[in-house]
Structures are given as C-alpha cells and as structure tokens.
Amino acid sequence: MAYDKQMLKDILDAHGACGREKGVRDTIKAYIAPHADEVYRDAMGNLIAVKKGTSGKKIMFTVHMDQIGFLVRSIGEDGFVRLINQGCINSARCIAREIRFENGARGVTYFETADKTVLTAGITSQFVDVGASTKEEAEAIVKVGESAVFASDFVEMGSRIACGALDNRICCAAMVEMFRAMQSEHDVYAVFTVQEEEGMRGASPAAFGVKPDLNITVDVTGTGDIPGAEANDVVMGKGPAVKVKDMYITVPEEVIAFLENAAKKANIKYQYEFAPGYTDAGPVQRTGAGILSGGISVPLRYLHTPVETVDVRDYEETVRLLCAVVAEKELPQY
Ligand SMILES: [Zn+2]
C-alpha cells in the first residue's frame, strides 16, 4: 500500500499538547468524517468516530492524539518564559531545543550554570527565549497557560521517517487509513483519546461511554535495536508488535491469540511487546465491570524526543493488521 503522506504530515503538524488537543482533534475529524457514520466528542475531549456494522458487536480502538509538551508557568521581568512539562520528557534531551507555542509563536529552551559539569536540567529549571527583553514584550507573544511542543521537521531517511509527534500521531493516521480501507461486520469505534501522556486520563471515560466487546489500543513502542539500548526484543522494520504486557496490563491470552490469528491469516509478520511504559490498554481493561483489552504497537526509536523515528513498512503493515482485525467475524470470547 502507498500511505497518504500528506495526511500523516497534517496530523503530525497539528497542535495537540497533552490536555490541549483541539488542533489535532479538528484535523483528524476532517480526515475521518467522510469514512464514518458518526463522529462526536465527549466531555473529556476524546474524538469518537463510528462505522456501523450488522453483528451487534462493538470493537473499539483507542489511539491517543496528545503528545508530550509544555505549559507556560510564568514570565519573568527579564522577558524569559518558564515552562512546566506535560508528560514524561527526558531532561537531558530538551536543552537548546526549538519549541512551538499553540498560537504559532516560537521560542528556544536553554539553561546556564557556572558549574560546567552540570549537563542537564529539568524543563522547570530552563528558560525560554521568545525574543522579548521585558515582561511586557513577552506577554505580547505568549500568555501564562499557553501550551507548547517541541518544534520538529518531517525527516525522510530511506524507508524511515523522523518527527517529534510520531508518538502517537502515526497511529492516529493509521486509524484513518483503516477507516478508508476496512470491511467489518461489527460496529467499529475509533477513539482518539486525550491526555494519555499524563497518565492515560481520556481512555477509560471513553470506554465507559462506548462499552465495547473488545478494545485494541494502538500506540508506539520503544525498540531495543540501537547502541546501548536496554534489553528489548522489538526491532524496527520487523512489523507491528502484539502487546503481551506493559506497566498497567497483562493482556488476556484470548486477546493475544485473536490478534496472532488475524495476523497469520493476512500473512503479516509481527513481534511481541513487553513494554516498560504504558498505553491506554490498561485503564480501558479496568473500566466498568472490565473490558477485554489488548494492544498493537508500532516500533519506534528515540521515544519522547523531537526525533522519534519509525519505519514506514511497519506503519503500512500495522494498517494491514488493523484491517485484518476488524475483518474477523468472531471476536474473542471469555
Ligand atoms: Zn504513546
């Protein structure tokens, strides 16, 4: 399949810091609405697209649309802006970076110390230069509470692409591709969740509203194929990973078997994910009286940095796997 590069770029480019998802929600809505029977949002801000089937069963996909970012915490008399982070940002990787505010303004992060042996600083210790010399000048550019994300380009390197928002916009785009191509007897819900990066806050309320027979969370997962990486068998370019376990879920065997079976029938190579982090799969599982829940993950290098990198072939195979999953007539039983 040839993927829709312009759609992916538009979804990557849209603003969607954690808790400030309006820009990305509007962008995804415009792309998915022509292929859905219904598109709505809930009070949390989750965007829900539905394609109706005839089986009476509901299969739901949770795909977070927020990304790690920042909020303006204060503005000093010297015109420097101070931030607080939204989501887990590795301090060592956020110094001397360009950031982009929701209103379009730009800034650069930095910190300075007399002790040159200090090489890192948390984002709250850094300052942002927005081109202002006084508080008044800075306040004309950004307000306290304004949200920001790392600025980053869309970089193509052979079959790989790099961009700061690939976690998890690559999977948001995969959902749109699935809606364009899929055939299913079931009601298919694509739930684009908010605030995953600050503790998976959007997914459970959305699941409570939908009450699906099966949830599959689609997100990215770190790989172990770079120098110095911690033990991790996931390799870029070897296909989507079927989640077995992360910090908040041990996926039920029947859900893993269901995904394996769908992949085998469609001749899709897959890997297994044992992630040290978390996705929306866990909180969905514990919603209401409990929901069958699992995950499909796109291998990604350099997680939570402005240079997150994926292999387009993994992306395309993930879309194929998603289409194979909704084409299954029998959902897992318990
Ligand atoms: Zn993610």
Side-chain angles (χ1 to χ4, degrees), residues 18 20 69-73 82-86 145-148:
C18 193
R20 296 288 182 271
F70 319 95
L71 293 174
V72 174
R73 186 169 52 110
R82 302 283 179 160
L83 303 175
I84 191 161
N85 60 299
Q86 292 269 85
E146 180 80 26
S147 76

Side-chain angles (χ1 to χ4, degrees), residues 26-300:
D26 290 348
T27 303
I28 293 168
K29 184 178 178 182
Y31 273 109
I32 205 164
H35 310 283
D37 294 319
E38 190 186 354
V39 183
Y40 60 98
R41 60 156 286 179
D42 64 14
M44 290 295 296
N46 299 304
L47 178 73
I48 301 159
V50 192
K51 181 77 182 164
K52 292 283 185 190
T54 53
S55 70
K57 298 280 187 190
K58 294 179 187 174
I59 178 164
M60 177 174 90
F61 295 89
T62 34
V63 192
H64 76 86
M65 60 181 166
D66 62 306
Q67 70 181 101
I68 56 165
F70 319 95
L71 293 174
V72 174
R73 186 169 52 110
S74 64
I75 299 172
E77 294 298 335
D78 52 10
F80 287 112
V81 170
R82 302 283 179 160
L83 303 175
I84 191 161
N85 60 299
Q86 292 269 85
C88 179
I89 295 166
N90 186 323
S91 303
R93 293 170 184 142
C94 62
I95 292 165
R97 294 289 189 180
E98 182 183 355
I99 62 168
R100 187 184 70 192
F101 294 92
E102 185 169 9
N103 68 7
R106 297 286 181 134
V108 292
T109 67
Y110 206 72
F111 93 116
E112 190 61 89
T113 170
D115 182 355
K116 299 300 180 196
T117 63
V118 178
L119 297 176
T120 89
I123 195 68
T124 52
S125 305
Q126 298 183 47
F127 56 82
V128 182
D129 192 330
V130 294
S133 300
T134 65
K135 185 173 190 172
E136 290 66 36
E137 282 178 28
E139 284 176 339
I141 298 167
V142 289
K143 301 273 182 281
V144 169
E146 180 80 26
S147 76
V149 297
F150 286 128
S152 66
D153 292 330
F154 184 87
V155 183
E156 295 182 270
M157 310 173 289
S159 67
R160 296 175 191 162
I161 51 177
C163 187
L166 283 169
D167 175 8
N168 190 34
R169 305 288 169 69
I170 187 85
C171 297
C172 295
M175 270 295 112
V176 177
E177 297 275 15
M178 183 192 81
F179 259 61
R180 286 171 172 172
M182 69 183 180
Q183 301 283 339
S184 183
E185 294 182 358
H186 313 299
D187 293 350
V188 179
Y189 287 74
V191 179
F192 300 92
T193 65
V194 295
Q195 298 189 45
E196 191 271 351
E197 296 291 3
E198 285 237 282
M200 308 159 290
R201 295 168 180 166
S204 186
F208 182 82
V210 172
K211 293 184 176 59
D213 296 284
L214 173 68
N215 168 70
I216 302 297
T217 294
V218 191
D219 206 326
V220 299
T221 192
T223 64
D225 58 352
I226 58 173
E230 287 172 24
N232 179 345
D233 293 328
V234 176
V235 173
M236 175 179 278
K238 293 218 168 152
V242 171
K243 187 184 290 293
V244 179
K245 172 190 156 44
D246 67 28
M247 263 174 77
Y248 288 96
I249 189 171
T250 300
V251 177
E253 291 153 298
E254 54 266 46
V255 175
I256 296 171
F258 170 78
L259 295 176
E260 288 172 327
N261 182 48
K264 281 175 188 152
K265 281 205 280 188
N267 200 20
I268 296 166
K269 286 202 180 66
Y270 58 91
Q271 326 180 51
Y272 292 107
E273 178 193 14
F274 299 83
Y278 54 75
T279 70
D280 283 333
V284 169
Q285 185 187 40
R286 297 190 300 282
T287 298
I291 291 171
L292 276 183
S293 185
I296 293 172
S297 300
V298 177
L300 179 144

